[in-house]
Amino acid sequence: MAAPSGLPASVAPVICRNVPVFPAVPLSADAAPFTPQGADVRQRGARQQTDAERLFCRCAAKLRGLRADTSQLREELNLLFDQLISENFNRSLEPNINIRPEDVCHLLVNASCLVPMSQEHLVVKLCKLVHHLLNQLKVIMDEHTLDVMLKYMTSVLEACSTWTHLGVLQALATVVYGNGPQCHQHLNNLLGEGGVLLLYSAPSQPDMDLRHMALTCMANICVRISGQPPLDDRHKSVCFSVFLETLQAARPDDGDELFYCIVIQAALKGLHCCLLGGKWKFGGGEVVGSVLAALKRLMFQGAPGVSVEWPTVLNPAPLPHYESPSERKPDGEVTKPTEAAKDGGGKASANKKRRSRGKGKKTSIEESRRDDEDDGEAAALAPHKTGSEAKPAVSLNPSWKRNTSDSEFSDPEGSAQSKLRLSHARVRQGALHCLLAVVKWVEKRTLYGYWSSFIPEAPVGNGTTPPLTLLTIILKDPSPKVRACALQALSAMLDGSRQFLAVAEDTASPPTSYTPFSFTLATAVRELHRSLSLVLMAETSPHTLTQVIKCLAHLVSNAPYHRLRPGLLSSLWKQIRPYVRHRDANVRVSTLTLYGALVTTQAPLPEVQLLLQQPEGSGAGDCCGSFTPQDSRALSWRRGGETPSPRGPRTPKEAEGGPPWLLTLCAALVTMPRDEPSDSEGGGGSTLEPSPVRLEALQVLSLLVRGYISLTQASLCEIGQLSARCLAESDPSIQLHGAKLLEELGTGIIQQYQSESDVSESTRVPMSQVVQFWKEVLSGPLNGALQNQQHPTLQTSACDTLSSILPQAFAQLPEKTQLMCITVLLGLTYSDSDLVKMAAVRALGVYVLFPCLREDLMFVADTANVILAALDDRSSNIRAKAAWSLGNLTDTLLVNMDCMEVDFQEEMSDMLLLKMLQAATRAAADKDKVKCNAVRALGNLLHFLREGQLSRALFRQPLEDAVRALVMSVQSVATMKVRWNACYALGNAFRNPDLPLESACWSGDAFAALCNVVASCKNFKVRIKSAAALAEPGHRRCYGDAEGFGRVWRSLAAALRSSEDTHDFLEYRYSASLRHTLSRALLHLLRLGLPLDVPAIAASLVSEEDGGGGVREHLIKYLRAEGMGEEKDAAAGDAKNPQQRVQSLQQTVERLKIMDTDTEEEERGKEALIYFLGDLLKDCEEP
């Protein structure tokens, strides 16, 4: 029975309150009746319903009571729909609205069942209600409701008149938003051949509104919400093709420009959704070129004075004629500027330069620009000259600097022009968003071919016509949002381009006959610097200014300044200096990021080193002149008495021994209060800088210490005090960066004291100062950070700080302090946090190498037990660090064996050694990141074990398992690091004279594995390590019988012949070292050879000489030390000079001459070998 109609409004709440509450169940035919949530809540007195909730509750109850056969159904539905549509359910305006999504879904399903398709006006009104409720309440529909609504709307599109389709498509776009994968049953009807969306989105569709709404539907189908699967590739490709076809289609001659822009915006939104799906899946280079060509054309949509014949495809090659202005002038526009326009532009530029020297003054142009940019899109609405009065696109004067009178248009005309300019700006912004997505998801190597279309490769000026690139938009577009998008796209292109830009070089003049690619790239880098510097001076929008500085940071991080003429960084350094005092905190953060990039790029860079050594006052005239931005008020928010420097400008002589200006600045930003509130932070008073600024300043300090320790070491104590102050604060992020600063400082000092360091002893940090520094640090708040269990990341960084103590300084610390460090690290290995445990195990792996600790047997044993426990941890990262520490610990065993002789080996527990051997063997079967250090530890342990241990039955099987683990690692398909470490480990084991190589069952397998890789492995480092391992045994008996010895010889000889055969260019850098190691191994075998071995050796060399191979030539080069210097020889493990090598070969010849032979074959081989070696010695003596 239908509910009575026309009830008073006051009755409805009573009915709603009396409805009982039912538990939530899935929507189905057997579902419980609809029950508004608010009634029961109000009865309990939790809160009062809002007006919107009461209206929704009342209308839902009425709608639920209606039946399809009700006589007044049409009037009732009209009334209910009107009431719901007229109500504002926007939660941004009324956040207390609490209407459950399932209630909305139930209402829509009921309504769709009651509205017949014959009532087209009711159908349109229902579609409007669907859009209204879903859009304002942000409802995510369940699958049943989604299926019901899609069936209903697709049926409406087939059955109802065309005039209803616009409203239906609007509702459909709301329904399918983010639900593309869930709509798979209906996608064929919508996107299949003859589908309604394809029909209405086609460029031939005359109705722009229908076309726009169909494209919006397709875009919303492609939208992917986090946590949901993406749309299938087939339907996504269909949508992609439609979007691209729409972007490529020209505007109809009779079409409205504003409607055309709206259609293009929908297509750009859809293309952007397709591109965000992950890796590029839409075709090859031609499709990429088509997309980029369409996007480049739309990047300049509505730009004044741009008249260009745009290509349909961009080819991945520099084709500047594509961007040159056309001779055709559409719509009668004159693209050539008048003389008056030129003069006006010149005067404006001159005025700008003159007024920039003043303080507190600003031109009317700057005022109007700042007013325009208070609202994001309002800048695009600012009137500017068009047509014959417009400045051409090739002008370098930013278009936002040109303004006209407000009376240029009448009110209606001005409003229409403003709307059109706003639409054009949104098109440009959408095109740049799509370009950013293309840059992110298309392979970098593919995009490098298109750089010339978006980044100029030649300097602008000198009468040449500048190309239309991203820099044109950044310099000229009137909308700050568009400029920011262009900067983001340019930053994405520059990000990760270091390998591509590494070719750039202009230190020498290029040839006149042609322009090398390296010079072209260097010119592009210089043009980027020049253009971005112009933008930096002109930009006052804080958001866009932040993007400019970030873009410069990406450029600095990737450009090879050591291959470019100096001066670029000096100019930039001075120009960005005032921005560290900008009112906007985001600008200050990005400025510090740029300084971080400057001190990181190719550090230590001489140009940056000179800039850091300049006194604070140097270049002040430059900074206050041409480099000072227009908004001087925004850059002077600090009082003069509280500048970052605690003292006034110094003379060069005073500054010579002082800290760098950047260090002083960052320290001030971390510790000193600001005097005026930042634009991006409310409040006032004398508070510290915002946390992002302080964190970035600490990051810059860490980078400065890392790259330029020689300039910062004079402020060692001050940096320590700053870090201690940070560690004492309550903010964990500040504490973390304070600890990282200490770690960088400790690492820098360690690098100074390394034996291979080129830092002279007089310029190092004095040892007494280092010891005092660590005494203060370890007695300060670092202990609290080590025990802060609430913040594991901070504990991890504190452990890393402890591991960065200079070993020599650690030995001079008080014994109590040393014990504290060791005890804390041993205790933290039992932490519940994997990060802390990993850092503690790694730190112990560093400490075990300290000379003052490695001889402490108790510490070594405690560390070994901790490492063994960590090797059984469930986390592979912890096991990897434990394997690395075990490798270091076993390195220590070998060092102690050489230094302490027998005492240390006798005192070391056999059971502990056995546990270490077994644990390392198990780890050698783990993941590669564990295995690479486990095999290193195995090699050290096999070298360390003595005859008494090896002869025990307890060690026999573990010994065999260990060697076989190394053999498997050599032969495996693991990473090359694992394989060359395994080869090195076998060589290390072969150095142990007590290892039973001549009798062990595993010996043949070990030599066979090494012989195999030395001749066949593609990686030359693996071959080098295997050749070195084959040359390690010191006695002939270790190689086995004559057959085994001959196999080793033939493998080494074959490897030497093929030492230049590789298809990988990167391997050629190791070819000289490989030939050196192979030659040394062959001569080593000659010294050990017995009469039984001579025939095989002689036969190999004689056939080599007949065949004209390369063994002889390589041996001569080795004996003469050609191809490798003495330093490289030492690095390859050969400390002999050429004279000693020749003497060793002479001794081998003398030994062969007195060698007794038993057979005629041996005698012939002996004579042939003596002749070959004698001839070899003669060749070595010749100059």
Side-chain angles (χ1 to χ4, degrees):
M1 179 177 178
S5 60
L7 290 174
S10 60
V11 178
V14 177
I15 296 174
C16 194
R17 280 196 295 268
N18 294 332
V19 176
V21 179
F22 294 88
V25 296
L27 293 176
S28 67
D30 301 325
F34 170 79
T35 305
Q37 182 187 26
D40 186 64
V41 172
R42 189 169 63 253
Q43 282 184 349
R44 296 195 301 267
R47 70 175 183 87
Q48 291 293 325
Q49 279 187 319
T50 63
D51 293 338
E53 289 173 334
R54 284 194 291 271
L55 174 68
F56 183 87
C57 174
R58 183 173 66 250
C59 293
K62 286 185 178 182
L63 189 63
R64 191 177 60 255
L66 293 177
R67 296 294 180 264
D69 56 353
T70 304
S71 58
Q72 297 181 345
L73 178 65
R74 179 177 178 180
E75 291 76 10
E76 290 288 347
L77 290 176
N78 263 315
L79 179 61
L80 292 174
F81 290 172
D82 286 340
Q83 288 177 349
L84 289 169
I85 292 172
S86 62
E87 182 64 33
N88 192 342
F89 295 101
N90 197 331
R91 285 196 173 115
S92 61
L93 300 176
E94 184 58 55
N96 293 326
I97 294 178
N98 185 19
I99 299 175
R100 297 185 302 175
E102 54 266 32
D103 296 341
V104 178
C105 292
H106 198 114
L107 183 146
L108 294 178
V109 170
N110 284 341
S112 65
C113 295
L114 292 172
V115 178
M117 296 183 190
S118 59
Q119 300 290 333
E120 294 186 345
H121 287 280
L122 271 180
V123 170
V124 173
K125 193 167 289 187
L126 172 60
C127 291
K128 189 173 183 181
L129 176 63
V130 171
H131 172 74
H132 181 71
L133 291 177
L134 297 182
N135 192 42
Q136 292 202 345
L137 291 173
K138 310 300 181 188
V139 173
I140 299 176
M141 292 186 297
D142 56 79
E143 291 187 11
H144 172 70
T145 306
L146 179 64
D147 185 62
V148 170
M149 299 308 298
L150 284 173
K151 284 181 180 178
Y152 181 80
M153 291 179 182
T154 52
S155 300
V156 168
L157 290 171
E158 294 175 358
C160 293
S161 303
T162 307
W163 73 268
T164 65
H165 288 187
L166 182 61
V168 178
L169 289 176
Q170 184 184 35
L172 180 63
T174 310
V175 169
V176 300
Y177 182 85
N179 290 318
Q182 286 76 31
C183 302
H184 56 88
Q185 296 180 354
H186 306 275
L187 289 180
N188 286 333
N189 294 331
L190 298 173
L191 299 174
E193 187 176 356
V196 64
L197 293 183
L198 292 183
L199 177 66
Y200 283 144
S201 63
S204 58
Q205 171 58 239
D207 191 330
M208 285 291 193
D209 286 329
L210 282 175
R211 188 179 173 194
H212 164 247
M213 201 51 63
L215 288 168
T216 303
C217 286
M218 297 173 69
N220 289 354
I221 288 174
C222 296
V223 170
R224 181 183 181 185
I225 297 177
S226 178
Q228 291 190 0
L231 184 66
D232 62 280
D233 293 341
R234 182 171 67 89
H235 290 109
K236 186 184 289 187
S237 297
V238 172
C239 295
F240 175 85
S241 300
V242 172
F243 297 141
L244 181 57
E245 185 181 6
T246 303
L247 298 180
Q248 290 175 328
R251 177 173 66 89
D253 295 335
D254 57 346
D256 185 88
E257 179 75 13
L258 186 60
F259 283 135
Y260 171 74
C261 289
I262 293 173
V263 170
I264 292 299
Q265 289 174 41
L268 286 170
K269 175 188 173 184
L271 183 66
H272 187 256
C273 293
C274 291
L275 294 173
L276 288 181
K279 191 176 180 180
W280 179 271
K281 300 178 181 179
F282 303 110
E286 186 175 351
V287 180
V288 175
S290 300
V291 172
L292 292 176
L295 294 179
K296 183 169 182 181
R297 176 174 63 86
L298 295 172
M299 281 162 41
F300 295 93
Q301 177 72 24
V306 175
S307 175
V308 174
E309 289 184 359
W310 299 101
T312 57
V313 178
L314 289 181
N315 294 314
L319 299 173
H321 63 273
Y322 275 162
E323 288 81 24
S324 60
S326 169
E327 297 297 328
R328 183 175 58 88
K329 301 168 186 175
D331 303 328
E333 289 186 1
V334 180
T335 58
K336 185 177 180 180
T338 61
E339 294 298 325
K342 290 183 179 179
D343 293 341
K347 291 179 181 178
S349 177
N351 289 336
K352 180 188 72 173
K353 292 181 179 179
R354 286 197 298 270
R355 294 181 184 181
S356 65
R357 299 189 185 97
K359 295 184 179 181
K361 297 181 181 181
K362 55 188 177 183
T363 64
S364 60
I365 296 175
E366 294 159 8
E367 291 174 351
S368 64
R369 180 184 174 198
R370 193 173 300 114
D371 293 339
D372 289 340
E373 293 172 356
D374 288 340
D375 184 24
E377 291 292 346
L381 303 178
H384 60 280
K385 295 182 181 180
T386 59
S388 60
E389 296 180 358
K391 293 285 287 182
V394 298
S395 171
L396 290 179
N397 190 24
S399 63
W400 62 66
K401 293 291 186 184
R402 301 189 300 275
N403 245 333
T404 58
S405 171
D406 292 337
S407 61
E408 185 174 339
F409 302 106
S410 62
D411 290 342
E413 184 184 357
S415 177
Q417 290 290 334
S418 296
K419 289 181 180 178
L420 184 58
R421 280 195 292 272
L422 178 58
S423 293
H424 283 154
R426 287 175 177 170
V427 169
R428 297 195 300 273
Q429 187 175 350
L432 289 166
H433 276 147
C434 290
L435 177 62
L436 177 61
V438 171
V439 172
K440 285 185 176 180
W441 295 113
V442 175
E443 189 179 1
K444 288 284 186 183
R445 291 185 179 180
T446 303
L447 280 178
Y448 289 149
Y450 299 97
W451 267 43
S452 59
S453 297
F454 297 95
I455 296 175
E457 293 185 337
V460 177
N462 300 325
T464 60
T465 302
L468 298 177
T469 63
L470 283 172
L471 293 178
T472 311
I473 300 173
I474 295 168
L475 281 165
K476 297 175 60 59
D477 200 284
S479 169
K481 284 190 175 182
V482 176
R483 299 196 298 272
C485 289
L487 286 162
Q488 289 173 352
L490 180 58
S491 297
M493 293 181 70
L494 293 172
D495 188 23
S497 62
R498 183 177 304 170
Q499 186 175 2
F500 175 64
L501 292 177
V503 185
E505 184 175 13
D506 67 351
T507 52
S509 300
T512 56
S513 57
Y514 69 98
T515 302
F517 180 64
S518 59
F519 189 82
T520 301
L521 272 184
T523 305
V525 171
R526 291 191 173 276
E527 185 60 22
L528 283 169
H529 265 278
R530 190 193 67 84
S531 299
L532 291 175
S533 296
L534 289 175
V535 178
L536 192 61
M537 288 191 293
E539 191 61 65
T540 57
S541 168
H543 173 68
T544 312
L545 185 59
T546 301
Q547 296 300 326
V548 175
I549 300 174
K550 286 182 178 179
C551 189
L552 281 167
H554 283 292
L555 175 60
V556 170
S557 298
N558 291 279
Y561 294 98
H562 62 291
R563 295 168 59 92
L564 303 177
R565 285 181 282 111
L568 289 176
L569 296 181
S570 301
S571 175
L572 182 60
W573 184 281
K574 296 175 183 177
Q575 189 176 3
I576 65 171
R577 195 162 176 171
Y579 289 96
V580 293
R581 298 183 295 276
H582 198 279
R583 289 185 63 89
D584 189 88
N586 293 323
V587 175
R588 301 202 294 277
V589 170
S590 59
T591 304
L592 290 170
T593 303
L594 178 51
Y595 270 120
L598 284 167
V599 299
T600 304
T601 180
Q602 295 103 43
L605 198 64
E607 185 177 359
V608 175
Q609 193 156 1
L610 289 175
L611 291 170
L612 288 168
Q613 290 175 321
Q614 287 181 356
E616 296 169 31
S618 67
D622 293 337
C623 266
C624 297
S626 59
F627 289 114
T628 300
Q630 308 298 327
D631 193 1
S632 57
R633 177 186 61 83
L635 300 179
S636 57
W637 57 273
R638 289 181 182 273
R639 283 203 299 262
E642 299 240 16
T643 57
S645 173
R647 50 178 295 188
R650 300 188 300 250
T651 64
K653 187 175 182 179
E654 291 174 330
E656 189 173 346
W661 168 83
L662 186 58
L663 189 151
T664 307
L665 166 70
C666 292
L669 290 174
V670 174
T671 59
M672 290 178 60
R674 71 177 190 271
D675 304 300
E676 294 184 19
S678 171
D679 284 348
S680 54
E681 297 230 347
S686 187
T687 59
L688 292 173
E689 284 279 355
S691 182
V693 177
R694 302 181 69 207
L695 292 175
E696 197 63 35
L698 286 169
Q699 181 71 17
V700 174
L701 273 177
S702 297
L703 297 174
L704 182 62
V705 168
R706 180 190 302 174
Y708 299 90
I709 181 66
S710 60
L711 299 181
T712 57
Q713 65 186 39
S715 305
L716 185 66
C717 294
E718 289 78 2
I719 295 176
Q721 293 170 3
L722 174 64
S723 300
R725 175 170 175 171
C726 293
L727 287 168
E729 292 195 16
S730 58
D731 186 351
S733 299
I734 299 293
Q735 292 177 313
L736 177 64
H737 280 73
K740 287 186 178 296
L741 178 57
L742 285 176
E743 180 190 353
E744 290 291 351
L745 197 56
T747 304
I749 294 173
I750 289 175
Q751 290 174 352
Q752 283 190 340
Y753 276 83
Q754 286 178 346
S755 57
E756 62 270 16
S757 173
D758 56 356
V759 180
S760 62
E761 187 174 351
S762 59
T763 57
R764 297 174 183 170
V765 182
M767 182 60 67
S768 59
Q769 192 175 351
V770 177
V771 174
Q772 183 61 32
F773 169 77
W774 283 113
K775 282 182 180 178
E776 295 176 359
V777 168
L778 295 174
S779 61
L782 183 64
N783 296 331
L786 287 166
Q787 301 172 19
N788 193 337
Q789 299 181 4
Q790 288 76 25
H791 300 287
T793 308
L794 178 59
Q795 281 185 294
T796 301
S797 184
C799 288
D800 294 337
T801 301
L802 286 184
S803 67
S804 65
I805 301 176
L806 182 68
Q808 298 91 315
F810 186 89
Q812 298 184 30
L813 291 174
E815 185 176 351
K816 180 180 178 181
T817 304
Q818 294 182 16
L819 186 61
M820 183 272 294
C821 294
I822 296 171
T823 304
V824 168
L825 290 176
L826 288 172
L828 289 177
T829 59
Y830 299 97
S831 172
D832 295 333
S833 169
D834 289 352
L835 288 174
V836 177
K837 186 184 295 186
M838 192 163 46
V841 170
R842 177 191 172 277
L844 288 171
V846 173
Y847 275 29
V848 80
L849 296 174
F850 285 7
C852 62
L853 293 178
R854 68 186 180 207
E855 297 178 2
D856 186 342
L857 187 62
M858 292 302 297
F859 170 72
V860 172
D862 290 342
T863 302
N865 287 319
V866 165
I867 292 173
L868 291 176
L871 279 172
D872 293 329
D873 196 274
R874 57 178 176 79
S875 170
S876 60
N877 292 327
I878 293 177
R879 296 199 303 272
K881 291 298 181 184
W884 179 83
S885 296
L886 182 62
N888 285 4
L889 188 146
T890 53
D891 286 342
T892 292
L893 296 182
L894 296 184
V895 173
N896 288 339
M897 181 180 68
D898 295 336
C899 297
M900 303 174 64
E901 297 181 353
V902 184
D903 295 340
F904 186 84
Q905 290 178 282
E906 292 179 350
E907 293 178 1
M908 195 70 184
S909 167
D910 287 357
M911 291 306 300
L912 182 59
L913 288 172
L914 180 62
K915 289 180 181 179
M916 292 167 62
L917 185 66
Q918 292 172 332
T921 303
R922 291 193 300 271
D926 206 331
K927 295 181 179 179
D928 284 357
K929 61 182 179 181
V930 182
K931 187 186 300 185
C932 62
N933 284 296
V935 295
R936 176 167 70 98
L938 280 177
N940 287 335
L941 288 169
L942 293 175
H943 186 182
F944 182 79
L945 294 175
R946 295 296 94 197
E947 183 179 6
Q949 296 159 336
L950 294 172
S951 60
R952 293 180 58 183
L954 191 63
F955 278 83
R956 191 171 301 135
Q957 188 61 43
L959 173 63
E960 182 178 348
D961 294 341
V963 176
R964 296 204 180 279
L966 292 178
V967 171
M968 290 181 63
S969 298
V970 170
Q971 296 174 332
S972 68
V973 292
T975 59
M976 293 304 169
K977 184 176 181 180
V978 173
R979 299 185 70 183
W980 75 58
N981 273 2
C983 292
Y984 177 82
L986 281 175
N988 200 0
F990 290 169
R991 295 193 189 103
N992 188 346
D994 297 327
L995 204 65
L997 286 176
E998 65 277 8
S999 59
C1001 59
W1002 41 260
S1003 179
D1005 294 336
F1007 280 109
L1010 293 173
C1011 289
N1012 181 42
V1013 297
V1014 78
S1016 62
C1017 186
K1018 295 180 180 179
N1019 186 279
F1020 277 16
K1021 291 182 72 174
V1022 175
R1023 297 174 69 178
I1024 291 170
K1025 297 298 182 184
S1026 60
L1030 289 171
E1032 286 299 339
H1035 302 281
R1036 168 62 186 83
R1037 65 177 183 273
C1038 297
Y1039 290 94
D1041 56 12
E1043 183 180 353
F1045 186 88
R1047 181 173 60 249
V1048 173
W1049 174 271
R1050 289 191 297 272
S1051 299
L1052 291 171
L1056 188 57
R1057 296 187 197 103
S1058 62
S1059 58
E1060 294 181 351
D1061 299 341
T1062 179
H1063 299 289
D1064 189 353
F1065 177 76
L1066 296 177
E1067 296 298 329
Y1068 275 111
R1069 54 182 168 172
Y1070 302 114
S1071 60
S1073 179
L1074 174 61
R1075 290 191 293 271
H1076 174 98
T1077 308
L1078 289 168
S1079 301
R1080 182 167 61 89
L1082 286 173
L1083 293 179
H1084 173 75
L1085 291 180
L1086 280 175
R1087 287 195 299 272
L1088 300 179
L1090 295 177
L1092 289 174
D1093 307 320
V1094 170
I1097 296 175
S1100 171
L1101 293 176
V1102 169
S1103 64
E1104 172 68 26
E1105 193 160 311
D1106 293 341
V1111 171
R1112 175 189 176 88
E1113 289 76 10
H1114 292 316
L1115 290 176
I1116 293 175
K1117 289 180 180 179
Y1118 169 77
L1119 293 171
R1120 291 177 174 178
E1122 295 178 359
M1124 292 187 69
E1126 293 184 5
E1127 294 181 359
K1128 292 185 178 181
D1129 288 344
D1134 190 357
K1136 294 182 178 179
N1137 57 38
Q1139 184 178 1
Q1140 291 173 329
R1141 296 173 190 174
V1142 172
Q1143 290 177 354
S1144 177
L1145 183 59
Q1146 289 173 345
Q1147 293 173 0
T1148 300
V1149 173
E1150 294 298 326
R1151 188 178 70 86
L1152 286 171
K1153 289 179 179 179
I1154 62 175
M1155 179 184 294
D1156 294 332
T1157 57
D1158 297 331
T1159 65
E1160 184 178 349
E1161 182 183 8
E1162 292 176 0
E1163 185 64 27
R1164 287 198 303 270
K1166 169 184 169 182
E1167 293 177 357
L1169 186 57
I1170 292 174
Y1171 175 79
F1172 176 85
L1173 296 179
D1175 198 27
L1176 197 66
L1177 288 172
K1178 290 180 182 178
D1179 290 339
C1180 293
E1181 294 173 358
E1182 295 177 1

